[in-house]
Amino acid sequence: MRLKDKVCIITGAASGIGKAASVKFCSQGAVVIACDVSRDSLEQLREETHSLPGKLIPKVLDVTRRDDVFRVVQDVATEYGRIDVLVNNAGITRDALLLKMTEEQWDAVINVNLKGVFNMTQAVAPYMVKAKKGSIINTSSVVGIYGNIGQTNYAATKGGVIAMTKTWAKELARKGAQIRVNAVAPGFIKTPMTENLPEKVIEYVKSKTPLARMGEAEEVANVYLFLACDESSYITGQVIGVDGGLQI
Ligand code: NAP
């Protein structure tokens, strides 16, 4: 098992890519601290992972609530003595064209996708620094690299996630620490986030994607797993595209 007894915090764990990652990490023996805003979905996930070799601990946590973030992370560190992996996967969209985007839409996306990643990482990093090891995986998007019509707020956060990833890869590896920080940039993946996209948008994306299909959540979770475990021990500060070739 590739993550046996590793303590892994995953945000946005109850749906889509985060859910696929939680199941995968549990199947590889991890202790998964599954954080999300939906108690019911987390409970369902706990039941679904019950028979897997790892263990899933559900935590109702809104990553924008800084005090709650620090309390949950401290509880985890106290109970398990360490945090090996952080997956900053929680994310939302509130799409609108620039000329129509409201301040509420801007603030909501910035708060979850950017400040939430900052909150979680700032809470977890001290434990990794003390242990001089760890892996942090941040979820960006192809949109953070190329932009996308109607996603000023989302593109800003996903570009920001890449900038934070590279900064932390440099900052947290000082004094010989083996703390790795990488970003994953998915293309268009079949999850609740994309289920309401108009058919013509999906067809357009497929036409621009060499592999000519949308991705599955598990195909992103596979890359999270690789970056979480020791097989990627010399990889840091990278942005790994999981997009069927959409970026080329
Ligand atoms: P998803 O199915 O909507 O899952 C996201 C999960 O995060 C949901 O359970 C959501 O809860 C939760 N969440 C929202 N706000 C939160 C908060 N403040 N604190 C904690 N959890 C919160 O989306 P997904 O497609 O799996 O996306 C996962 C990540 O991949 C996101 O960062 C997304 O931006 C990124 N991504 C996705 C795609 C794609 O095509 N799907 C492409 C590129 C990047 P609610 O459902 O209750 O809001």
Side-chain angles (χ1 to χ4, degrees):
M1 283 187 288
R2 292 156 77 187
L3 289 175
K4 190 165 170 24
D5 298 331
K6 297 277 188 199
V7 179
C8 306
I9 298 180
I10 301 179
T11 68
S15 173
I17 297 167
K19 183 174 179 179
S22 298
V23 172
K24 187 155 289 282
F25 280 32
C26 273
S27 73
Q28 294 298 323
V31 176
V32 175
I33 316 298
C35 303
D36 207 293
V37 284
S38 163
R39 184 180 299 277
D40 290 350
S41 307
L42 281 173
E43 235 0 90
Q44 201 183 323
L45 179 61
R46 193 169 66 85
E47 280 166 30
E48 281 175 38
T49 52
H50 188 64
S51 58
L52 296 174
K55 190 174 174 191
L56 186 127
I57 317 288
K59 295 272 184 197
V60 178
L61 178 66
D62 178 340
V63 295
T64 69
R65 299 180 75 99
R66 208 170 149 77
D67 291 349
D68 293 349
V69 164
F70 276 78
R71 180 182 45 75
V72 165
V73 168
Q74 189 179 34
D75 288 351
V76 171
T78 303
E79 175 144 11
Y80 296 98
R82 62 183 201 285
I83 299 166
D84 298 299
V85 176
L86 168 64
V87 185
N88 282 310
N89 167 82
I92 60 169
T93 53
R94 298 286 184 271
D95 296 352
L97 293 170
L98 170 64
L99 300 188
K100 295 193 168 161
M101 185 169 285
T102 64
E103 190 178 1
E104 286 71 26
Q105 287 172 317
W106 170 263
D107 285 344
V109 173
I110 298 290
N111 270 332
V112 177
N113 297 12
L114 201 60
K115 192 174 176 194
V117 175
F118 169 70
N119 287 342
M120 290 299 304
T121 308
Q122 206 179 37
V124 167
Y127 300 101
M128 293 186 172
V129 168
K130 199 169 169 207
K132 289 192 154 226
K133 61 180 183 178
S135 174
I136 298 171
I137 298 152
N138 296 325
T139 309
S140 179
S141 165
V142 288
V143 170
I145 300 166
Y146 290 108
N148 196 23
I149 290 172
Q151 293 198 305
T152 295
N153 47 4
Y154 187 78
T157 62
K158 295 303 186 182
V161 160
I162 293 173
M164 293 195 295
T165 298
K166 293 182 178 181
T167 299
W168 296 336
K170 291 177 177 170
E171 204 174 302
L172 296 176
R174 287 177 304 164
K175 297 182 187 159
Q178 297 299 298
I179 300 170
R180 301 181 296 107
V181 190
N182 290 288
V184 174
F188 284 75
I189 311 298
K190 277 188 244 161
T191 72
M193 183 178 272
T194 52
E195 70 188 355
N196 292 323
L197 282 178
E199 197 51 42
K200 68 174 187 196
V201 172
I202 292 174
E203 287 312 314
Y204 176 75
V205 169
K206 284 185 188 167
S207 75
K208 294 283 173 195
T209 304
L211 294 183
R213 63 176 175 85
M214 288 179 77
E216 302 292 335
E218 193 184 358
E219 294 178 293
V220 183
N222 285 336
V223 181
Y224 288 177
L225 173 61
F226 171 66
L227 292 173
C229 72
D230 290 342
E231 287 163 29
S232 57
S233 54
Y234 202 49
I235 298 178
T236 195
Q238 301 304 304
V239 183
I240 316 277
V242 186
D243 59 11
L246 181 60
Q247 284 187 59
I248 56 177

